[in-house]
């Protein structure tokens, strides 16, 4: 089985396993106690903090360990917003942040705060000027991920951090996906990360808060971790997380070159091997091991099952894999196809032969799914000037498939109105037009759902 979902969770690094086993015998005592076992546990905890701080690029007393990366995000955002409440109650986030950031923003907004969502380009990147325009006198905090978790696009953190610093606004950076490759550049104020993203054990997050940033921890006061992370420290897991971060950093430079070559191979070959495919994300400013592509007329969940049967564990940004029945907010913000998406995220050490085998298996897997869904292979010009497709009650990609089936029956210059009550259609039909070179006229109100109007250009 080839595991290609490292962006969700990387396999446990051998160094993490060794450190975990060793520290289970040495780090079980309370590090706050003064007796021998407590002092030994404290030494392990302090050494782990120093190693993690070095990797992050901060002082050891600026960094605390949390119960998860999500908890680090929640604590970081809430702490800064509370500490700067006299400045104002305005929060800035990008439209493609991790759900942990967006969920915290929703809670803040529900409590009376205001939130600005900065849009992204079709490649998933924010424009620093958009952050500058969003800054206000009452802005308490801005958030920007270092790299996107679904498409791998690297964000201009250094530029945005400089703009925020000039305005006196702290910037929180979610570095969960990028920390394995190196420290985050720029004058950031708060940083979060998660150990299971780089091959450490799950249940360990990092929260770094620079000196001088107003920060008020929320919840009951706790004497551990500078009052920013309540509860008894999981020292063996913390030690393993710090040890594995140092280990992966030691091999990051060489692996970055090798994995970038492999993902570039996927980016170049997939559109040649599979018809009607769009490779998404920035082609240059991206993480080494992540590549995402969208297949027209494909149900994402079905395709993932086919690839699983073929021996490949991959992920998808499709709505059908999230249990929410709504399109991925990242793909939606980018304006690309929300169905039929495959995210390949290669772990460190992935053999080139496994990538070649994936490329050999993929075309038949996609073709098989399309055949099951009855997707059309081509269309030619027909006599009609207008058609209506009733796709009400059908989930994407079916509305898009139904559109493609009849599109050849419309003359050049004619239109098709697709009736659909699936939210994903609002994204997928315009994306279909973009990929096919046809004109998306717009959305019209309908008695039920919406009518999406498409005009044939060729």
């Amino acid at each position: 089985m080839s595991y290609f979902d490292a962006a969700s969770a990387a396999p446990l690094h051998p160094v993490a396993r060794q450190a975990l086993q060793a520290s289970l015998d040495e780090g079980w005592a309370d590090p706050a106690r003064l007796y021998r076992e407590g002092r030994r546990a404290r030494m392990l905890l302090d050494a782990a903090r120093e190693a993690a701080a070095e990797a992050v690029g901060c002082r050891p007393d600026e960094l605390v360990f949390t119960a998860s990366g999500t908890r680090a995000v929640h604590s970081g955002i809430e702490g800064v917003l509370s500490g700067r409440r006299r400045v104002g109650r305005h929060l800035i986030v990008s439209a493609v942040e991790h759900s942990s950031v967006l969920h915290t923003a929703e809670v803040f907004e529900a409590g009376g705060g205001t939130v600005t969502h900065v849009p992204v380009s079709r490649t998933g990147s924010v424009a620093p000027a958009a952050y500058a325009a969003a800054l206000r006198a009452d802005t308490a905090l801005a958030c920007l991920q270092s790299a996107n978790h679904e498409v791998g696009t690297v964000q201009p953190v250094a530029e945005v951090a400089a703009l925020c610093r000039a305005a006196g606004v702290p910037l929180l950076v979610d570095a969960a996906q990028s920390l394995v490759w190196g420290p985050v550049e720029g004058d950031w104020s708060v940083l979060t990360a998660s150990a299971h993203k780089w091959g450490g054990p799950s249940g360990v997050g990092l929260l770094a808060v620079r000196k001088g940033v107003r920060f008020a921890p929320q919840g009951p006061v706790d004497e551990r971790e500078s009052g920013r992370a309540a509860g008894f420290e999981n020292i063996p897991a913390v030690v393993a997380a710090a040890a594995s971060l140092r280990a992966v950093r030691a091999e990051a430079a060489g692996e970055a070159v090798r994995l970038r070559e492999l993902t570039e191979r996927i980016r170049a070959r997939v559109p040649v091997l599979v018809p009607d495919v769009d490779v998404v994300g920035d082609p240059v400013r991206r993480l080494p091991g992540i590549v995402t592509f969208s297949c027209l007329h494909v149900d994402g969940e079905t395709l993932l099952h086919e690839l699983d049967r073929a021996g490949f564990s991959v992920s998808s940004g499709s709505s059908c894999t999230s249990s929410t029945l709504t399109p991925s907010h990242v793909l939606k913000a980018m304006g690309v196809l929300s169905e039929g998406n495959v995210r390949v995220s290669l772990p460190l050490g992935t053999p080139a032969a496994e990538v070649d085998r994936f490329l050999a298996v993929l075309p038949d897997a996609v073709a098989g799914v399309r055949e099951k869904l009855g997707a059309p292979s081509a269309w030619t010009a027909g006599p009609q000037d207008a058609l209506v497709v009733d796709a009400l009650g059908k989930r994407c990609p079916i509305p898009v498939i139904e559109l493609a089936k009849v599109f050849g029956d419309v003359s050049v210059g004619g239109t098709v109105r697709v009736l659909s009550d699936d939210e994903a259609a609002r994204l997928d039909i315009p994306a279909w037009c973009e990929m096919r070179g046809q004109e998306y006229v717009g959305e019209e109100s309908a008695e039920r759902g919406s009518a999406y109007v498409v005009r044939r250009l060729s």
Side-chain angles (χ1 to χ4, degrees), residues 379-387 402-412 414-416 456:
W379 34 261
T380 56
Q384 299 189 48
D385 294 326
L387 278 177
E402 296 299 323
L403 165 64
K405 283 181 178 179
V406 304
F407 203 69
D409 297 333
V410 178
S411 303
V412 173
T415 61
V416 178
R456 183 170 181 179

Side-chain angles (χ1 to χ4, degrees), residues 57-239:
C58 66
R59 293 168 36 164
D61 60 352
E62 294 175 329
L63 184 142
V64 299
F65 297 103
T66 65
S68 67
T70 295
R71 183 66 260 173
V73 167
H74 293 173
S75 299
I77 295 176
E78 292 169 350
V80 176
L81 289 175
S82 180
R84 287 174 50 83
R85 59 188 178 277
R86 292 185 179 179
V87 173
R89 304 204 67 203
H90 177 230
L91 171 66
I92 302 173
V93 300
S94 83
V96 294
E97 294 297 312
H98 188 268
S99 59
S100 60
V101 174
L102 299 182
H103 290 163
T104 311
E106 290 172 2
V107 172
F108 176 66
E109 194 168 27
T114 57
V115 180
T116 296
H117 293 80
V118 177
V120 298
S121 67
R122 194 171 175 83
T123 63
S125 180
V126 303
Y131 263 80
L135 290 168
R136 305 184 334 201
D138 63 339
T139 302
L141 175 66
C143 300
L144 178 62
Q145 60 190 192
S146 54
N148 186 259
H149 51 290
E150 289 193 24
V151 299
T153 297
V154 174
Q155 301 291 3
V157 172
E159 294 92 328
V160 172
L163 292 168
C164 290
R165 177 68 64 178
V169 175
L171 177 69
L172 182 147
V173 178
D174 172 14
Q177 291 297 337
S178 72
L179 198 59
V180 60
W181 304 111
V184 175
E185 298 181 356
D187 197 8
W188 50 267
S189 301
V190 183
L191 182 141
T192 64
S194 188
H196 73 274
K197 300 293 187 179
W198 65 69
S202 58
V204 179
L206 304 183
L207 171 61
V209 182
R210 297 282 198 194
K211 293 294 183 182
V213 177
R214 291 187 177 275
F215 191 93
Q218 299 302 286
V221 176
D222 192 277
E223 69 275 10
R224 298 181 185 274
E225 293 299 296
S226 304
R228 295 175 181 170
F232 196 98
E233 297 93 344
N234 185 348
I235 294 177
V238 164
V239 170

Side-chain angles (χ1 to χ4, degrees), residues 338-419:
S338 71
E339 298 291 339
N341 304 102
V342 175
R343 180 187 68 182
V344 175
S345 50
L346 305 177
L348 302 178
T350 299
E354 291 188 12
V355 171
D356 290 336
R357 190 168 70 86
F358 173 77
L359 292 172
V361 165
L362 181 66
D364 287 343
V366 174
V369 173
R370 285 174 172 167
E371 183 178 1
K372 290 178 183 178
L373 294 175
S377 57
W379 34 261
T380 56
Q384 299 189 48
D385 294 326
L387 278 177
V388 175
V389 174
D390 186 351
L392 293 169
K394 299 177 181 178
R395 288 181 53 200
C396 282
I398 300 303
V400 179
I401 291 175
E402 296 299 323
L403 165 64
K405 283 181 178 179
V406 304
F407 203 69
D409 297 333
V410 178
S411 303
V412 173
T415 61
V416 178
R417 298 175 76 248
V418 182
L419 302 179

